[in-house]
């Protein structure tokens, strides 16, 4: 019972109110997509460091202990004996004791392979930079999710207020209609029509309130918060200014978008990988140094030995494996080049589309103000005529519906405009602040 009370109290608690900038900052650490991208970056850097380690010599140590079935002797006397002191000359010689041990350290340093290693490292370095750009692009993608959740929740909250005002207005009309009905000035059918409209208005308002709770949960999810979040109100006001040409915006996006940076780094990595695969066709020369310690091998094996030298290996035939590796790397280069061209074309189209969306949203918002004023004046006139019994319930409900739709359109057009501006800022890789707009000096 006590636990249930704690849960009920937590559910009834007011959600934390956050600004858009606070929500965006929370998503940088709290959103799981950003976490995945950050760990992908860690893996790319580790892979780069792993290739860099190939520049250093490979040092290996080995040790063995063997117990043989018998000791191995060399008997030169074949059973013959000599008188002392010559009897020791024909004594058996130990070739291998029953227990033998060996230990050694070997170092191998690639020489001609250093060029291929350097090109492989360059490829991994470019891939790590591409991973950094991808992580930044993921952050901006998450920003888009936060912006959508933030303003859609705000829009739902404002729509709930609009429906609340419409419901309160209908409640007033119903009270007056009941008074008119009691005095015989209003038909029962008109009263019932108003009461049905009031019931529907209450249901619509409750549905929007339920949607508001889900919107707050969605905002918490995309920001990584543990509890519901409520966006700080941004009432309709002066629309943000957009002072930039499409060509200038496209040029900035192509230069600064992290996706463009990632594709450039990927192209450089593909070219480095191509050079590394070609270098693998040459002979592989390495320097070798080794030291060994041996026990139990008799007098014919030196207990300590070392050597230095060089080894060369050149694959003369391998079924075309290295040849096809070069072709695969070359195909990767062409693929990256085509990807860069496709991305450039896509960015050009995207930027022009988001700027057109901003302009369209601005026109809709400007028109919504006039529509609300006209709907308010229409309701005032119809209400006055209803009071004087010059119009019926149908005309009054139509006027109420028209005003509610106009106010809802005003709210929707405002947040649609802010979302469009935020999408344009995100596409241009600008700080997300819809009220600041976009200036010509990018």
């Amino acid at each position: 019972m006590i636990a249930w009370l704690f849960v009920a109290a937590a559910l009834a608690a007011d959600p934390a109110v956050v600004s858009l900038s606070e929500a965006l900052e929370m998503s940088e650490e709290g959103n799981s997509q950003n976490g995945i991208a950050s760990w992908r970056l860690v893996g790319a850097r580790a892979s780069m460091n792993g290739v860099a380690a190939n520049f250093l010599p490979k040092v290996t140590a080995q040790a063995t202990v063997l117990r043989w079935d018998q000791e191995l002797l060399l008997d030169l006397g074949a059973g013959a004996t000599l008188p002392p002191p010559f009897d020791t000359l024909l004594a058996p010689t130990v070739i291998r004791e029953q227990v033998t041990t060996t230990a050694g350290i070997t170092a191998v340093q690639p020489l001609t392979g250093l060029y291929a290693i350097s090109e492989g490292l360059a490829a991994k370095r470019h891939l790590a930079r591409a991973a950094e750009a991808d992580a930044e692009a993921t952050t901006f993608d998450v920003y888009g999710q936060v912006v959508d959740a933030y303003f859609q929740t705000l829009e739902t909250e404002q729509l709930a207020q609009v429906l609340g005002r419409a419901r309160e207005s209908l409640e007033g009309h119903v009270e007056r209609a009941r008074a008119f009905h009691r005095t015989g000035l209003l038909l029962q059918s008109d009263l019932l029509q108003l009461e049905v409209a009031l019931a529907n208005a209450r249901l619509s308002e409750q549905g929007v309130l339920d949607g508001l709770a889900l919107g707050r949960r969605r905002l918490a999810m995309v920001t990584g918060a543990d509890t519901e979040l409520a966006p700080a109100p941004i009432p309709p006001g002066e629309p943000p200014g957009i002072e930039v040409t499409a060509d200038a915006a496209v040029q900035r996006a192509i230069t600064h978008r992290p996706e463009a940076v990632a594709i450039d780094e990927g192209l450089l990595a593909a070219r480095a990988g191509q050079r590394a695969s070609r270098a693998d066709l040459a002979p592989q020369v390495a320097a070798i140094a080794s030291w060994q310690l041996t026990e139990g091998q008799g007098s014919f094996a030196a207990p300590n030995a070392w050597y230095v030298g060089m080894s060369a290996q050149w694959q003369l035939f391998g079924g075309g494996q290295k040849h096809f590796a070069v072709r695969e790397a070359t195909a990767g280069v062409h693929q990256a080049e085509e990807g860069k061209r496709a991305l450039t074309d896509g960015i050009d189209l995207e930027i022009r589309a988001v700027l057109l969306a901003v302009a369209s949203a601005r026109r809709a918002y400007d028109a919504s103000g006039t529509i609300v004023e006209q709907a308010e004046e229409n309701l005032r006139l119809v209400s006055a005529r209803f009071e004087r019994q010059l119009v019926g319930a149908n005309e009054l409900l139509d006027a109420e519906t028209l005003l509610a739709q106009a106010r809802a359109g005003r709210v929707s057009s405002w947040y649609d405009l802010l979302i469009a501006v935020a999408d344009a800022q995100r596409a241009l890789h600008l700080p997300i602040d819809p009220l600041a707009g976009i200036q010509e000096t990018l």
Side-chain angles (χ1 to χ4, degrees):
M1 181 66 179
I2 297 178
W4 183 88
L5 290 176
F6 277 113
V7 173
L11 293 175
D14 292 334
V17 179
V18 295
S19 65
L20 178 59
S21 60
E22 291 172 338
L24 294 174
E25 185 176 355
M26 292 171 62
S27 70
E28 293 178 1
E29 296 293 335
N31 190 280
S32 59
Q33 296 181 41
N34 284 330
I36 294 172
S38 65
W39 281 112
R40 189 180 297 116
L41 175 58
V42 171
R45 288 173 175 170
S47 179
M48 178 187 67
N49 293 331
V51 173
N54 291 326
F55 282 112
L56 301 176
K58 301 298 182 292
V59 180
T60 57
Q62 65 272 357
T64 59
V65 178
L66 301 177
R67 179 178 179 81
W68 301 84
D69 57 339
Q70 61 183 349
E71 185 180 49
L72 186 61
L73 300 176
L74 176 62
D75 189 357
L76 298 178
T81 59
L82 295 175
F86 303 105
D87 55 349
T88 59
L89 295 177
L90 297 179
T93 301
V94 177
I95 298 178
R96 185 196 66 213
E97 298 178 5
Q98 193 170 9
V99 177
T100 61
T101 60
T102 58
I105 297 177
T106 303
V108 179
Q109 173 63 58
L111 298 178
T112 57
L114 293 177
Y115 174 74
I117 293 173
S118 65
E119 292 297 340
L121 177 60
K124 291 294 185 179
R125 185 180 296 112
H126 289 303
L127 291 177
R129 292 171 182 169
E132 292 178 6
D134 287 338
E136 188 176 2
T138 299
T139 298
F140 268 73
D141 288 341
V142 171
Y143 283 171
Q145 299 174 24
V146 173
V147 167
D148 288 342
Y150 191 91
F151 287 120
Q152 287 177 6
T153 304
L154 268 180
E155 180 179 346
T156 305
E157 184 177 336
Q158 295 296 314
L159 289 177
Q161 295 179 9
V162 169
L163 293 179
R165 293 173 63 184
R167 185 253 310 156
E168 292 172 356
S169 180
L170 281 173
E171 288 174 344
H173 291 315
V174 169
E175 289 299 324
R176 287 190 294 273
R178 287 170 180 170
F180 292 155
H181 177 66
R182 286 192 295 268
T183 59
L185 299 176
L186 188 68
L187 295 175
Q188 178 72 18
S189 60
D190 288 339
L191 176 59
L192 290 175
Q193 189 174 4
L194 288 171
E195 289 178 337
V196 169
L198 176 59
N200 288 330
R202 288 170 175 168
L203 288 175
S204 298
E205 182 183 8
Q206 186 57 51
V208 173
L209 290 175
D210 293 341
L212 176 60
L214 290 177
R216 289 172 174 173
R217 289 302 306 169
R218 181 192 174 202
L219 181 60
M221 181 188 69
V222 296
T223 56
D226 296 328
T227 58
E228 289 186 3
L229 297 180
I234 305 178
E238 185 67 23
I242 306 296
E243 302 175 358
V244 62
T245 63
D247 291 338
V250 168
Q251 186 58 43
R252 174 189 165 78
I254 293 176
T255 305
H256 293 84
R257 281 275 290 268
E259 297 93 330
V261 175
I263 200 76
D264 285 338
E265 293 294 340
L267 176 57
L268 293 175
R271 289 172 176 169
Q274 182 188 43
R275 293 191 295 269
S277 62
R278 287 174 176 171
D280 194 39
L281 297 174
Q284 304 300 308
V285 179
I288 302 176
S290 180
W291 171 81
Q292 293 182 350
L293 174 67
T294 303
E295 291 184 358
Q297 295 292 340
S299 58
F300 292 96
N304 290 283
W306 60 269
Y307 64 85
V308 294
M310 299 182 68
S311 68
Q313 183 178 2
W314 191 9
Q315 180 176 300
L316 299 179
F317 178 76
Q321 180 182 12
K322 293 187 177 182
H323 167 73
F324 290 118
V326 173
R327 290 190 62 181
E328 179 182 3
T330 303
V333 171
H334 292 303
Q335 181 179 352
E337 291 173 345
E338 293 296 331
K340 181 177 180 179
R341 185 180 301 108
L343 179 65
T344 301
D345 294 339
I347 288 177
D348 183 279
L349 183 60
E350 179 186 0
I351 295 302
R352 297 181 190 278
V354 296
L355 292 180
L356 288 175
V358 171
S360 177
R362 172 66 183 270
R363 289 192 297 269
Y365 176 69
D366 292 340
S368 66
T370 303
I371 295 174
V372 169
E373 293 176 358
Q374 293 172 343
E376 289 174 342
E377 180 62 16
N378 179 65
L379 178 61
R380 186 188 67 80
L381 295 175
V382 173
S383 297
R385 299 186 68 188
F386 180 77
E387 294 287 346
R388 297 194 297 270
Q389 297 298 301
L390 298 177
V391 296
N394 286 330
E395 290 79 359
L396 181 62
L397 289 177
D398 289 342
E400 286 285 359
T401 302
L402 182 62
L403 178 57
Q405 291 175 347
R407 287 173 173 168
R410 177 71 168 172
V411 170
S412 297
S413 63
W414 171 244
Y415 292 113
D416 287 345
L417 174 59
L418 295 184
I419 291 176
V421 173
D423 287 342
Q425 291 173 333
R426 183 165 55 89
L428 289 170
H429 201 61
L430 293 171
I432 306 299
D433 184 5
L435 295 178
I438 302 175
Q439 306 305 317
E440 182 70 38
T441 55
L442 295 176

